[in-house]
Amino acid sequence: MTGTVRLQRAGAVARLWLDSPGRLNAISVAMWRELGAHCAALAAEESVHCVVLRGAGGQFAAGADIEEFPQVRHDVDSGRRYHLDLMAPVLQALRTLPMPVVAAIEGSCIGGGLEIALACDLRVARADARLGAPVGRLGFPLAVPELAALLQRVSPAVAAELLLAGRLLGAAEAERMGLVGRAVPPEQFEAVLEETVAGVLAGSPRAARLNKANLARLQEGPSLSQAEIAASFGFFASEDYAEGVRAFLARRPPRFSGR
């Protein structure tokens, strides 16, 4: 069994499930490829306004499937291909999905699983989840491109705790360190997750896509050009902007079209 990544659609929400039964959803090569293919398809779906990514069976993902390593990353060349040709494009495809992506974190969120979660925009974690990247215990460092992505999400001090001390963090501590946005009691997890999704859906899908793109651009540097700043005000010509103002003045819920 190599596991799978399942896609479910319900209205404007797409749900991706990491599913490798009995293996804490360890991510096989086949699952990396499936996740990348789903991201490529969803990127073109204007009717999808929110993506939820989670693991089946009460676990997020315990990292890459180490049992495959002797076949797929056993020397310098195969290791380079695994990280640069397999993992990196998938993580980038997830990171650059145009719509907001919510990671629903339960159980183990370790190594490659943590990298997937950090590629999402919003992270909601059950209080009993465990997050970390103790790859040093397996004899290797975090690949440099993946470390660069980690440092875009957390401080060097937090990265050192994860990589040098090999600590596994509880959700509450992960929240304090900025790894997750919300750590919630188990009995509230599903409700808070759906509340988060509802919050995304309540806003303009066009505005959400623009906010996500602007957040990414402003983290890249250098400063915005005058042309980029001028273009950023194009939303004033959108239907969603006009509808949002009309709805507010009429004291009714907005009916956004995403245009």
Side-chain angles (χ1 to χ4, degrees), residues 109-111 114 130-137 157-174 176-177 179:
C109 182
I110 310 296
L114 179 62
R130 292 294 179 266
L131 301 92
V135 292
R137 299 175 189 173
V158 172
E161 290 280 345
L162 296 172
L163 299 175
L164 304 184
R167 292 186 56 209
L168 295 181
L169 307 177
E173 188 173 13
R176 291 194 297 272
M177 289 185 168
L179 281 171

Side-chain angles (χ1 to χ4, degrees), residues 7-175:
L7 171 64
Q8 296 177 330
R9 288 282 303 272
V13 180
R15 299 178 189 270
L16 290 170
W17 293 84
L18 306 173
D19 191 358
S20 185
R23 303 175 62 79
L24 300 179
N25 299 327
I27 309 155
S28 64
V29 168
M31 290 172 69
W32 282 114
R33 289 175 176 156
E34 279 189 280
L35 179 57
H38 285 313
C39 287
L42 289 171
E45 288 280 354
E46 292 189 3
S47 62
V48 174
H49 299 165
C50 183
V51 175
V52 178
L53 177 56
R54 65 189 305 181
Q59 302 289 332
F60 192 77
D65 189 344
I66 300 170
E67 290 191 5
E68 291 186 329
F69 285 8
Q71 289 75 46
V72 300
R73 41 180 282 183
H74 51 81
D75 58 17
V76 172
D77 287 340
S78 63
R80 184 187 301 114
R81 289 193 299 270
Y82 186 94
H83 284 276
L84 297 184
D85 297 339
L86 178 67
M87 285 183 64
V90 174
L91 292 170
Q92 181 66 4
L94 179 59
R95 195 177 294 116
T96 57
L97 276 172
M99 69 289 289
V101 183
V102 182
I105 301 170
E106 303 173 86
S108 298
C109 182
I110 310 296
L114 179 62
E115 293 184 63
I116 288 174
L118 291 177
C120 301
D121 304 296
L122 301 166
R123 286 170 292 282
V124 179
R126 270 180 53 141
D128 53 0
R130 292 294 179 266
L131 301 92
V135 292
R137 299 175 189 173
L138 296 170
F140 55 86
L142 196 66
V144 171
E146 294 155 37
L147 177 57
L150 175 64
L151 289 172
Q152 290 182 335
R153 296 294 192 186
V154 301
S155 70
V158 172
E161 290 280 345
L162 296 172
L163 299 175
L164 304 184
R167 292 186 56 209
L168 295 181
L169 307 177
E173 188 173 13
E175 181 182 28

